[in-house]
mmCIF file with all atom_site columns, all heavy atoms in Angstrom:
data_model
loop_
_atom_site.group_PDB
_atom_site.id
_atom_site.type_symbol
_atom_site.label_atom_id
_atom_site.label_alt_id
_atom_site.label_comp_id
_atom_site.label_asym_id
_atom_site.label_entity_id
_atom_site.label_seq_id
_atom_site.pdbx_PDB_ins_code
_atom_site.Cartn_x
_atom_site.Cartn_y
_atom_site.Cartn_z
_atom_site.occupancy
_atom_site.B_iso_or_equiv
_atom_site.pdbx_formal_charge
_atom_site.auth_seq_id
_atom_site.auth_comp_id
_atom_site.auth_asym_id
_atom_site.auth_atom_id
_atom_site.pdbx_PDB_model_num
ATOM 1   N N   . ILE A 1 1  ? -38.084 63.439 7.010  1.00 90.00 ? 21 ILE A N   1
ATOM 2   C CA  . ILE A 1 1  ? -36.729 63.989 7.033  1.00 90.00 ? 21 ILE A CA  1
ATOM 3   C C   . ILE A 1 1  ? -35.768 63.080 6.283  1.00 90.00 ? 21 ILE A C   1
ATOM 4   O O   . ILE A 1 1  ? -34.829 63.549 5.611  1.00 90.00 ? 21 ILE A O   1
ATOM 5   C CB  . ILE A 1 1  ? -36.248 64.227 8.493  1.00 90.00 ? 21 ILE A CB  1
ATOM 6   C CG1 . ILE A 1 1  ? -35.006 65.124 8.518  1.00 90.00 ? 21 ILE A CG1 1
ATOM 7   C CG2 . ILE A 1 1  ? -35.977 62.936 9.211  1.00 90.00 ? 21 ILE A CG2 1
ATOM 8   C CD1 . ILE A 1 1  ? -35.246 66.531 8.047  1.00 90.00 ? 21 ILE A CD1 1
ATOM 9   N N   . GLU A 1 2  ? -35.986 61.765 6.345  1.00 93.00 ? 22 GLU A N   1
ATOM 10  C CA  . GLU A 1 2  ? -35.142 60.847 5.581  1.00 93.00 ? 22 GLU A CA  1
ATOM 11  C C   . GLU A 1 2  ? -35.361 61.026 4.082  1.00 93.00 ? 22 GLU A C   1
ATOM 12  O O   . GLU A 1 2  ? -34.403 61.019 3.295  1.00 93.00 ? 22 GLU A O   1
ATOM 13  C CB  . GLU A 1 2  ? -35.416 59.398 5.996  1.00 93.00 ? 22 GLU A CB  1
ATOM 14  C CG  . GLU A 1 2  ? -34.907 59.060 7.385  1.00 93.00 ? 22 GLU A CG  1
ATOM 15  C CD  . GLU A 1 2  ? -35.143 57.618 7.777  1.00 93.00 ? 22 GLU A CD  1
ATOM 16  O OE1 . GLU A 1 2  ? -36.125 57.015 7.275  1.00 93.00 ? 22 GLU A OE1 1
ATOM 17  O OE2 . GLU A 1 2  ? -34.359 57.084 8.589  1.00 93.00 ? 22 GLU A OE2 1
ATOM 18  N N   . GLU A 1 3  ? -36.610 61.200 3.696  1.00 93.00 ? 23 GLU A N   1
ATOM 19  C CA  . GLU A 1 3  ? -36.932 61.403 2.275  1.00 93.00 ? 23 GLU A CA  1
ATOM 20  C C   . GLU A 1 3  ? -36.373 62.730 1.778  1.00 93.00 ? 23 GLU A C   1
ATOM 21  O O   . GLU A 1 3  ? -35.800 62.801 0.682  1.00 93.00 ? 23 GLU A O   1
ATOM 22  C CB  . GLU A 1 3  ? -38.455 61.352 2.083  1.00 93.00 ? 23 GLU A CB  1
ATOM 23  C CG  . GLU A 1 3  ? -38.931 61.535 0.658  1.00 93.00 ? 23 GLU A CG  1
ATOM 24  C CD  . GLU A 1 3  ? -38.531 60.388 -0.271 1.00 93.00 ? 23 GLU A CD  1
ATOM 25  O OE1 . GLU A 1 3  ? -38.278 59.270 0.234  1.00 93.00 ? 23 GLU A OE1 1
ATOM 26  O OE2 . GLU A 1 3  ? -38.464 60.629 -1.491 1.00 93.00 ? 23 GLU A OE2 1
ATOM 27  N N   . LYS A 1 4  ? -36.531 63.760 2.581  1.00 90.00 ? 24 LYS A N   1
ATOM 28  C CA  . LYS A 1 4  ? -36.065 65.089 2.195  1.00 90.00 ? 24 LYS A CA  1
ATOM 29  C C   . LYS A 1 4  ? -34.563 65.125 1.972  1.00 90.00 ? 24 LYS A C   1
ATOM 30  O O   . LYS A 1 4  ? -34.075 65.846 1.088  1.00 90.00 ? 24 LYS A O   1
ATOM 31  C CB  . LYS A 1 4  ? -36.446 66.108 3.277  1.00 90.00 ? 24 LYS A CB  1
ATOM 32  C CG  . LYS A 1 4  ? -35.949 67.518 3.005  1.00 90.00 ? 24 LYS A CG  1
ATOM 33  C CD  . LYS A 1 4  ? -36.378 68.492 4.103  1.00 90.00 ? 24 LYS A CD  1
ATOM 34  C CE  . LYS A 1 4  ? -35.828 69.890 3.832  1.00 90.00 ? 24 LYS A CE  1
ATOM 35  N NZ  . LYS A 1 4  ? -36.245 70.853 4.884  1.00 90.00 ? 24 LYS A NZ  1
ATOM 36  N N   . SER A 1 5  ? -33.822 64.356 2.758  1.00 93.00 ? 25 SER A N   1
ATOM 37  C CA  . SER A 1 5  ? -32.357 64.453 2.725  1.00 93.00 ? 25 SER A CA  1
ATOM 38  C C   . SER A 1 5  ? -31.685 63.311 1.969  1.00 93.00 ? 25 SER A C   1
ATOM 39  O O   . SER A 1 5  ? -30.448 63.266 1.888  1.00 93.00 ? 25 SER A O   1
ATOM 40  C CB  . SER A 1 5  ? -31.810 64.493 4.155  1.00 93.00 ? 25 SER A CB  1
ATOM 41  O OG  . SER A 1 5  ? -32.023 63.259 4.824  1.00 93.00 ? 25 SER A OG  1
ATOM 42  N N   . LYS A 1 6  ? -32.448 62.394 1.391  1.00 93.00 ? 26 LYS A N   1
ATOM 43  C CA  . LYS A 1 6  ? -31.854 61.160 0.856  1.00 93.00 ? 26 LYS A CA  1
ATOM 44  C C   . LYS A 1 6  ? -30.860 61.390 -0.280 1.00 93.00 ? 26 LYS A C   1
ATOM 45  O O   . LYS A 1 6  ? -29.953 60.584 -0.484 1.00 93.00 ? 26 LYS A O   1
ATOM 46  C CB  . LYS A 1 6  ? -32.958 60.196 0.402  1.00 93.00 ? 26 LYS A CB  1
ATOM 47  C CG  . LYS A 1 6  ? -33.743 60.646 -0.819 1.00 93.00 ? 26 LYS A CG  1
ATOM 48  C CD  . LYS A 1 6  ? -34.791 59.617 -1.211 1.00 93.00 ? 26 LYS A CD  1
ATOM 49  C CE  . LYS A 1 6  ? -35.538 60.045 -2.469 1.00 93.00 ? 26 LYS A CE  1
ATOM 50  N NZ  . LYS A 1 6  ? -36.572 59.036 -2.842 1.00 93.00 ? 26 LYS A NZ  1
ATOM 51  N N   . ASN A 1 7  ? -31.018 62.479 -1.005 1.00 94.00 ? 27 ASN A N   1
ATOM 52  C CA  . ASN A 1 7  ? -30.108 62.746 -2.121 1.00 94.00 ? 27 ASN A CA  1
ATOM 53  C C   . ASN A 1 7  ? -29.009 63.736 -1.762 1.00 94.00 ? 27 ASN A C   1
ATOM 54  O O   . ASN A 1 7  ? -28.215 64.126 -2.628 1.00 94.00 ? 27 ASN A O   1
ATOM 55  C CB  . ASN A 1 7  ? -30.897 63.259 -3.332 1.00 94.00 ? 27 ASN A CB  1
ATOM 56  C CG  . ASN A 1 7  ? -31.830 62.203 -3.895 1.00 94.00 ? 27 ASN A CG  1
ATOM 57  O OD1 . ASN A 1 7  ? -31.468 61.033 -3.986 1.00 94.00 ? 27 ASN A OD1 1
ATOM 58  N ND2 . ASN A 1 7  ? -33.041 62.600 -4.260 1.00 94.00 ? 27 ASN A ND2 1
ATOM 59  N N   . ASN A 1 8  ? -28.958 64.143 -0.483 1.00 95.00 ? 28 ASN A N   1
ATOM 60  C CA  . ASN A 1 8  ? -27.905 65.068 -0.058 1.00 95.00 ? 28 ASN A CA  1
ATOM 61  C C   . ASN A 1 8  ? -26.548 64.372 -0.101 1.00 95.00 ? 28 ASN A C   1
ATOM 62  O O   . ASN A 1 8  ? -26.447 63.155 0.068  1.00 95.00 ? 28 ASN A O   1
ATOM 63  C CB  . ASN A 1 8  ? -28.188 65.600 1.347  1.00 95.00 ? 28 ASN A CB  1
ATOM 64  C CG  . ASN A 1 8  ? -29.323 66.612 1.357  1.00 95.00 ? 28 ASN A CG  1
ATOM 65  O OD1 . ASN A 1 8  ? -29.825 67.019 0.301  1.00 95.00 ? 28 ASN A OD1 1
ATOM 66  N ND2 . ASN A 1 8  ? -29.745 67.037 2.535  1.00 95.00 ? 28 ASN A ND2 1
ATOM 67  N N   . THR A 1 9  ? -25.520 65.159 -0.313 1.00 94.00 ? 29 THR A N   1
ATOM 68  C CA  . THR A 1 9  ? -24.184 64.586 -0.523 1.00 94.00 ? 29 THR A CA  1
ATOM 69  C C   . THR A 1 9  ? -23.181 64.964 0.569  1.00 94.00 ? 29 THR A C   1
ATOM 70  O O   . THR A 1 9  ? -21.995 64.674 0.452  1.00 94.00 ? 29 THR A O   1
ATOM 71  C CB  . THR A 1 9  ? -23.635 65.039 -1.887 1.00 94.00 ? 29 THR A CB  1
ATOM 72  O OG1 . THR A 1 9  ? -23.612 66.479 -1.939 1.00 94.00 ? 29 THR A OG1 1
ATOM 73  C CG2 . THR A 1 9  ? -24.497 64.516 -3.028 1.00 94.00 ? 29 THR A CG2 1
ATOM 74  N N   . GLY A 1 10 ? -23.659 65.614 1.614  1.00 94.00 ? 30 GLY A N   1
ATOM 75  C CA  . GLY A 1 10 ? -22.767 65.998 2.708  1.00 94.00 ? 30 GLY A CA  1
ATOM 76  C C   . GLY A 1 10 ? -22.634 64.898 3.744  1.00 94.00 ? 30 GLY A C   1
ATOM 77  O O   . GLY A 1 10 ? -22.829 63.717 3.453  1.00 94.00 ? 30 GLY A O   1
ATOM 78  N N   . ILE A 1 11 ? -22.321 65.262 4.965  1.00 95.00 ? 31 ILE A N   1
ATOM 79  C CA  . ILE A 1 11 ? -22.133 64.299 6.043  1.00 95.00 ? 31 ILE A CA  1
ATOM 80  C C   . ILE A 1 11 ? -23.393 63.446 6.223  1.00 95.00 ? 31 ILE A C   1
ATOM 81  O O   . ILE A 1 11 ? -24.523 63.935 6.110  1.00 95.00 ? 31 ILE A O   1
ATOM 82  C CB  . ILE A 1 11 ? -21.768 65.018 7.367  1.00 95.00 ? 31 ILE A CB  1
ATOM 83  C CG1 . ILE A 1 11 ? -21.402 64.005 8.459  1.00 95.00 ? 31 ILE A CG1 1
ATOM 84  C CG2 . ILE A 1 11 ? -22.889 65.952 7.815  1.00 95.00 ? 31 ILE A CG2 1
ATOM 85  C CD1 . ILE A 1 11 ? -20.856 64.650 9.725  1.00 95.00 ? 31 ILE A CD1 1
ATOM 86  N N   . VAL A 1 12 ? -23.196 62.156 6.477  1.00 96.00 ? 32 VAL A N   1
ATOM 87  C CA  . VAL A 1 12 ? -24.301 61.239 6.768  1.00 96.00 ? 32 VAL A CA  1
ATOM 88  C C   . VAL A 1 12 ? -24.442 61.136 8.281  1.00 96.00 ? 32 VAL A C   1
ATOM 89  O O   . VAL A 1 12 ? -23.488 60.789 8.983  1.00 96.00 ? 32 VAL A O   1
ATOM 90  C CB  . VAL A 1 12 ? -24.044 59.842 6.161  1.00 96.00 ? 32 VAL A CB  1
ATOM 91  C CG1 . VAL A 1 12 ? -25.169 58.881 6.542  1.00 96.00 ? 32 VAL A CG1 1
ATOM 92  C CG2 . VAL A 1 12 ? -23.915 59.938 4.644  1.00 96.00 ? 32 VAL A CG2 1
ATOM 93  N N   . ILE A 1 13 ? -25.631 61.466 8.776  1.00 95.00 ? 33 ILE A N   1
ATOM 94  C CA  . ILE A 1 13 ? -25.901 61.448 10.216 1.00 95.00 ? 33 ILE A CA  1
ATOM 95  C C   . ILE A 1 13 ? -26.859 60.301 10.518 1.00 95.00 ? 33 ILE A C   1
ATOM 96  O O   . ILE A 1 13 ? -28.004 60.295 10.057 1.00 95.00 ? 33 ILE A O   1
ATOM 97  C CB  . ILE A 1 13 ? -26.526 62.780 10.679 1.00 95.00 ? 33 ILE A CB  1
ATOM 98  C CG1 . ILE A 1 13 ? -25.621 63.964 10.317 1.00 95.00 ? 33 ILE A CG1 1
ATOM 99  C CG2 . ILE A 1 13 ? -26.803 62.750 12.172 1.00 95.00 ? 33 ILE A CG2 1
ATOM 100 C CD1 . ILE A 1 13 ? -26.312 65.322 10.465 1.00 95.00 ? 33 ILE A CD1 1
ATOM 101 N N   . ASN A 1 14 ? -26.380 59.310 11.251 1.00 96.00 ? 34 ASN A N   1
ATOM 102 C CA  . ASN A 1 14 ? -27.204 58.171 11.668 1.00 96.00 ? 34 ASN A CA  1
ATOM 103 C C   . ASN A 1 14 ? -27.526 58.299 13.150 1.00 96.00 ? 34 ASN A C   1
ATOM 104 O O   . ASN A 1 14 ? -26.618 58.375 13.973 1.00 96.00 ? 34 ASN A O   1
ATOM 105 C CB  . ASN A 1 14 ? -26.464 56.850 11.454 1.00 96.00 ? 34 ASN A CB  1
ATOM 106 C CG  . ASN A 1 14 ? -26.046 56.625 10.018 1.00 96.00 ? 34 ASN A CG  1
ATOM 107 O OD1 . ASN A 1 14 ? -26.854 56.759 9.101  1.00 96.00 ? 34 ASN A OD1 1
ATOM 108 N ND2 . ASN A 1 14 ? -24.784 56.278 9.808  1.00 96.00 ? 34 ASN A ND2 1
ATOM 109 N N   . ILE A 1 15 ? -28.808 58.326 13.461 1.00 94.00 ? 35 ILE A N   1
ATOM 110 C CA  . ILE A 1 15 ? -29.225 58.358 14.864 1.00 94.00 ? 35 ILE A CA  1
ATOM 111 C C   . ILE A 1 15 ? -29.863 57.010 15.189 1.00 94.00 ? 35 ILE A C   1
ATOM 112 O O   . ILE A 1 15 ? -30.910 56.657 14.645 1.00 94.00 ? 35 ILE A O   1
ATOM 113 C CB  . ILE A 1 15 ? -30.199 59.509 15.138 1.00 94.00 ? 35 ILE A CB  1
ATOM 114 C CG1 . ILE A 1 15 ? -29.524 60.848 14.827 1.00 94.00 ? 35 ILE A CG1 1
ATOM 115 C CG2 . ILE A 1 15 ? -30.676 59.479 16.590 1.00 94.00 ? 35 ILE A CG2 1
ATOM 116 C CD1 . ILE A 1 15 ? -30.431 62.044 14.983 1.00 94.00 ? 35 ILE A CD1 1
ATOM 117 N N   . ALA A 1 16 ? -29.191 56.226 16.046 1.00 95.00 ? 36 ALA A N   1
ATOM 118 C CA  . ALA A 1 16 ? -29.703 54.909 16.427 1.00 95.00 ? 36 ALA A CA  1
ATOM 119 C C   . ALA A 1 16 ? -30.730 55.094 17.540 1.00 95.00 ? 36 ALA A C   1
ATOM 120 O O   . ALA A 1 16 ? -30.381 55.459 18.666 1.00 95.00 ? 36 ALA A O   1
ATOM 121 C CB  . ALA A 1 16 ? -28.556 54.014 16.881 1.00 95.00 ? 36 ALA A CB  1
ATOM 122 N N   . PHE A 1 17 ? -31.999 54.857 17.191 1.00 91.00 ? 37 PHE A N   1
ATOM 123 C CA  . PHE A 1 17 ? -33.085 55.079 18.153 1.00 91.00 ? 37 PHE A CA  1
ATOM 124 C C   . PHE A 1 17 ? -33.998 53.862 18.112 1.00 91.00 ? 37 PHE A C   1
ATOM 125 O O   . PHE A 1 17 ? -34.439 53.436 17.054 1.00 91.00 ? 37 PHE A O   1
ATOM 126 C CB  . PHE A 1 17 ? -33.861 56.352 17.817 1.00 91.00 ? 37 PHE A CB  1
ATOM 127 C CG  . PHE A 1 17 ? -34.701 56.849 18.962 1.00 91.00 ? 37 PHE A CG  1
ATOM 128 C CD1 . PHE A 1 17 ? -34.189 57.783 19.857 1.00 91.00 ? 37 PHE A CD1 1
ATOM 129 C CD2 . PHE A 1 17 ? -35.975 56.368 19.179 1.00 91.00 ? 37 PHE A CD2 1
ATOM 130 C CE1 . PHE A 1 17 ? -34.947 58.228 20.927 1.00 91.00 ? 37 PHE A CE1 1
ATOM 131 C CE2 . PHE A 1 17 ? -36.741 56.804 20.242 1.00 91.00 ? 37 PHE A CE2 1
ATOM 132 C CZ  . PHE A 1 17 ? -36.227 57.738 21.123 1.00 91.00 ? 37 PHE A CZ  1
ATOM 133 N N   . ASN A 1 18 ? -34.301 53.329 19.291 1.00 93.00 ? 38 ASN A N   1
ATOM 134 C CA  . ASN A 1 18 ? -34.930 52.007 19.406 1.00 93.00 ? 38 ASN A CA  1
ATOM 135 C C   . ASN A 1 18 ? -34.117 51.011 18.591 1.00 93.00 ? 38 ASN A C   1
ATOM 136 O O   . ASN A 1 18 ? -34.632 50.236 17.792 1.00 93.00 ? 38 ASN A O   1
ATOM 137 C CB  . ASN A 1 18 ? -36.392 51.995 18.956 1.00 93.00 ? 38 ASN A CB  1
ATOM 138 C CG  . ASN A 1 18 ? -37.118 50.736 19.417 1.00 93.00 ? 38 ASN A CG  1
ATOM 139 O OD1 . ASN A 1 18 ? -36.775 50.145 20.442 1.00 93.00 ? 38 ASN A OD1 1
ATOM 140 N ND2 . ASN A 1 18 ? -38.103 50.306 18.645 1.00 93.00 ? 38 ASN A ND2 1
ATOM 141 N N   . TYR A 1 19 ? -32.807 51.072 18.824 1.00 95.00 ? 39 TYR A N   1
ATOM 142 C CA  . TYR A 1 19 ? -31.849 50.255 18.099 1.00 95.00 ? 39 TYR A CA  1
ATOM 143 C C   . TYR A 1 19 ? -31.169 49.271 19.038 1.00 95.00 ? 39 TYR A C   1
ATOM 144 O O   . TYR A 1 19 ? -30.829 49.613 20.177 1.00 95.00 ? 39 TYR A O   1
ATOM 145 C CB  . TYR A 1 19 ? -30.767 51.144 17.461 1.00 95.00 ? 39 TYR A CB  1
ATOM 146 C CG  . TYR A 1 19 ? -29.612 50.363 16.885 1.00 95.00 ? 39 TYR A CG  1
ATOM 147 C CD1 . TYR A 1 19 ? -29.643 49.926 15.568 1.00 95.00 ? 39 TYR A CD1 1
ATOM 148 C CD2 . TYR A 1 19 ? -28.516 50.015 17.674 1.00 95.00 ? 39 TYR A CD2 1
ATOM 149 C CE1 . TYR A 1 19 ? -28.598 49.170 15.043 1.00 95.00 ? 39 TYR A CE1 1
ATOM 150 C CE2 . TYR A 1 19 ? -27.471 49.260 17.161 1.00 95.00 ? 39 TYR A CE2 1
ATOM 151 C CZ  . TYR A 1 19 ? -27.513 48.842 15.844 1.00 95.00 ? 39 TYR A CZ  1
ATOM 152 O OH  . TYR A 1 19 ? -26.492 48.087 15.334 1.00 95.00 ? 39 TYR A OH  1
ATOM 153 N N   . GLY A 1 20 ? -30.979 48.067 18.546 1.00 96.00 ? 40 GLY A N   1
ATOM 154 C CA  . GLY A 1 20 ? -30.159 47.071 19.231 1.00 96.00 ? 40 GLY A CA  1
ATOM 155 C C   . GLY A 1 20 ? -29.450 46.256 18.172 1.00 96.00 ? 40 GLY A C   1
ATOM 156 O O   . GLY A 1 20 ? -30.067 45.850 17.178 1.00 96.00 ? 40 GLY A O   1
ATOM 157 N N   . SER A 1 21 ? -28.175 45.997 18.350 1.00 97.00 ? 41 SER A N   1
ATOM 158 C CA  . SER A 1 21 ? -27.415 45.290 17.330 1.00 97.00 ? 41 SER A CA  1
ATOM 159 C C   . SER A 1 21 ? -27.909 43.856 17.149 1.00 97.00 ? 41 SER A C   1
ATOM 160 O O   . SER A 1 21 ? -27.985 43.357 16.021 1.00 97.00 ? 41 SER A O   1
ATOM 161 C CB  . SER A 1 21 ? -25.925 45.286 17.696 1.00 97.00 ? 41 SER A CB  1
ATOM 162 O OG  . SER A 1 21 ? -25.162 44.764 16.632 1.00 97.00 ? 41 SER A OG  1
ATOM 163 N N   . ARG A 1 22 ? -28.246 43.180 18.229 1.00 97.00 ? 42 ARG A N   1
ATOM 164 C CA  . ARG A 1 22 ? -28.769 41.816 18.097 1.00 97.00 ? 42 ARG A CA  1
ATOM 165 C C   . ARG A 1 22 ? -30.069 41.830 17.304 1.00 97.00 ? 42 ARG A C   1
ATOM 166 O O   . ARG A 1 22 ? -30.287 40.967 16.435 1.00 97.00 ? 42 ARG A O   1
ATOM 167 C CB  . ARG A 1 22 ? -28.975 41.195 19.477 1.00 97.00 ? 42 ARG A CB  1
ATOM 168 C CG  . ARG A 1 22 ? -27.676 40.845 20.194 1.00 97.00 ? 42 ARG A CG  1
ATOM 169 C CD  . ARG A 1 22 ? -27.950 40.208 21.544 1.00 97.00 ? 42 ARG A CD  1
ATOM 170 N NE  . ARG A 1 22 ? -26.701 39.780 22.184 1.00 97.00 ? 42 ARG A NE  1
ATOM 171 C CZ  . ARG A 1 22 ? -26.645 39.182 23.361 1.00 97.00 ? 42 ARG A CZ  1
ATOM 172 N NH1 . ARG A 1 22 ? -27.759 38.949 24.039 1.00 97.00 ? 42 ARG A NH1 1
ATOM 173 N NH2 . ARG A 1 22 ? -25.477 38.808 23.867 1.00 97.00 ? 42 ARG A NH2 1
ATOM 174 N N   . ASP A 1 23 ? -30.931 42.786 17.591 1.00 96.00 ? 43 ASP A N   1
ATOM 175 C CA  . ASP A 1 23 ? -32.189 42.919 16.853 1.00 96.00 ? 43 ASP A CA  1
ATOM 176 C C   . ASP A 1 23 ? -31.910 43.178 15.375 1.00 96.00 ? 43 ASP A C   1
ATOM 177 O O   . ASP A 1 23 ? -32.561 42.601 14.495 1.00 96.00 ? 43 ASP A O   1
ATOM 178 C CB  . ASP A 1 23 ? -33.017 44.060 17.447 1.00 96.00 ? 43 ASP A CB  1
ATOM 179 C CG  . ASP A 1 23 ? -34.327 44.285 16.706 1.00 96.00 ? 43 ASP A CG  1
ATOM 180 O OD1 . ASP A 1 23 ? -35.227 43.433 16.832 1.00 96.00 ? 43 ASP A OD1 1
ATOM 181 O OD2 . ASP A 1 23 ? -34.447 45.299 15.992 1.00 96.00 ? 43 ASP A OD2 1
ATOM 182 N N   . GLU A 1 24 ? -30.933 44.048 15.090 1.00 98.00 ? 44 GLU A N   1
ATOM 183 C CA  . GLU A 1 24 ? -30.576 44.360 13.705 1.00 98.00 ? 44 GLU A CA  1
ATOM 184 C C   . GLU A 1 24 ? -30.097 43.109 12.972 1.00 98.00 ? 44 GLU A C   1
ATOM 185 O O   . GLU A 1 24 ? -30.479 42.866 11.814 1.00 98.00 ? 44 GLU A O   1
ATOM 186 C CB  . GLU A 1 24 ? -29.480 45.427 13.693 1.00 98.00 ? 44 GLU A CB  1
ATOM 187 C CG  . GLU A 1 24 ? -29.012 45.805 12.296 1.00 98.00 ? 44 GLU A CG  1
ATOM 188 C CD  . GLU A 1 24 ? -27.855 46.794 12.319 1.00 98.00 ? 44 GLU A CD  1
ATOM 189 O OE1 . GLU A 1 24 ? -27.061 46.775 13.281 1.00 98.00 ? 44 GLU A OE1 1
ATOM 190 O OE2 . GLU A 1 24 ? -27.760 47.585 11.369 1.00 98.00 ? 44 GLU A OE2 1
ATOM 191 N N   . ILE A 1 25 ? -29.269 42.313 13.621 1.00 98.00 ? 45 ILE A N   1
ATOM 192 C CA  . ILE A 1 25 ? -28.730 41.097 13.003 1.00 98.00 ? 45 ILE A CA  1
ATOM 193 C C   . ILE A 1 25 ? -29.845 40.074 12.764 1.00 98.00 ? 45 ILE A C   1
ATOM 194 O O   . ILE A 1 25 ? -29.905 39.426 11.711 1.00 98.00 ? 45 ILE A O   1
ATOM 195 C CB  . ILE A 1 25 ? -27.606 40.515 13.876 1.00 98.00 ? 45 ILE A CB  1
ATOM 196 C CG1 . ILE A 1 25 ? -26.380 41.442 13.822 1.00 98.00 ? 45 ILE A CG1 1
ATOM 197 C CG2 . ILE A 1 25 ? -27.228 39.111 13.434 1.00 98.00 ? 45 ILE A CG2 1
ATOM 198 C CD1 . ILE A 1 25 ? -25.303 41.123 14.836 1.00 98.00 ? 45 ILE A CD1 1
ATOM 199 N N   . ILE A 1 26 ? -30.756 39.934 13.719 1.00 98.00 ? 46 ILE A N   1
ATOM 200 C CA  . ILE A 1 26 ? -31.882 39.008 13.553 1.00 98.00 ? 46 ILE A CA  1
ATOM 201 C C   . ILE A 1 26 ? -32.776 39.460 12.397 1.00 98.00 ? 46 ILE A C   1
ATOM 202 O O   . ILE A 1 26 ? -33.213 38.638 11.565 1.00 98.00 ? 46 ILE A O   1
ATOM 203 C CB  . ILE A 1 26 ? -32.693 38.908 14.863 1.00 98.00 ? 46 ILE A CB  1
ATOM 204 C CG1 . ILE A 1 26 ? -31.887 38.151 15.920 1.00 98.00 ? 46 ILE A CG1 1
ATOM 205 C CG2 . ILE A 1 26 ? -34.031 38.199 14.626 1.00 98.00 ? 46 ILE A CG2 1
ATOM 206 C CD1 . ILE A 1 26 ? -32.475 38.210 17.310 1.00 98.00 ? 46 ILE A CD1 1
ATOM 207 N N   . ARG A 1 27 ? -33.045 40.772 12.303 1.00 97.00 ? 47 ARG A N   1
ATOM 208 C CA  . ARG A 1 27 ? -33.867 41.285 11.204 1.00 97.00 ? 47 ARG A CA  1
ATOM 209 C C   . ARG A 1 27 ? -33.209 41.017 9.856  1.00 97.00 ? 47 ARG A C   1
ATOM 210 O O   . ARG A 1 27 ? -33.875 40.629 8.888  1.00 97.00 ? 47 ARG A O   1
ATOM 211 C CB  . ARG A 1 27 ? -34.099 42.785 11.384 1.00 97.00 ? 47 ARG A CB  1
ATOM 212 C CG  . ARG A 1 27 ? -35.082 43.139 12.466 1.00 97.00 ? 47 ARG A CG  1
ATOM 213 C CD  . ARG A 1 27 ? -35.107 44.645 12.760 1.00 97.00 ? 47 ARG A CD  1
ATOM 214 N NE  . ARG A 1 27 ? -36.070 44.920 13.805 1.00 97.00 ? 47 ARG A NE  1
ATOM 215 C CZ  . ARG A 1 27 ? -37.363 45.152 13.589 1.00 97.00 ? 47 ARG A CZ  1
ATOM 216 N NH1 . ARG A 1 27 ? -37.824 45.165 12.352 1.00 97.00 ? 47 ARG A NH1 1
ATOM 217 N NH2 . ARG A 1 27 ? -38.181 45.378 14.585 1.00 97.00 ? 47 ARG A NH2 1
#
């Protein structure tokens, strides 16, 4: 679904799943 929609120009929908901000910063 990310590949299919990557060139779309409408609204960007981000779904944070198995997400943590501390984990994101460490990565």
Side-chain angles (χ1 to χ4, degrees):
I21 195 66
E22 289 182 332
E23 180 67 23
K24 177 179 178 179
S25 67
K26 69 179 182 180
N27 294 319
N28 287 353
T29 57
I31 187 172
V32 177
I33 303 167
N34 302 310
I35 299 176
F37 197 92
N38 195 28
Y39 170 90
S41 188
R42 288 181 176 181
D43 178 71
E44 179 184 30
I45 290 169
I46 289 169
R47 286 171 180 272

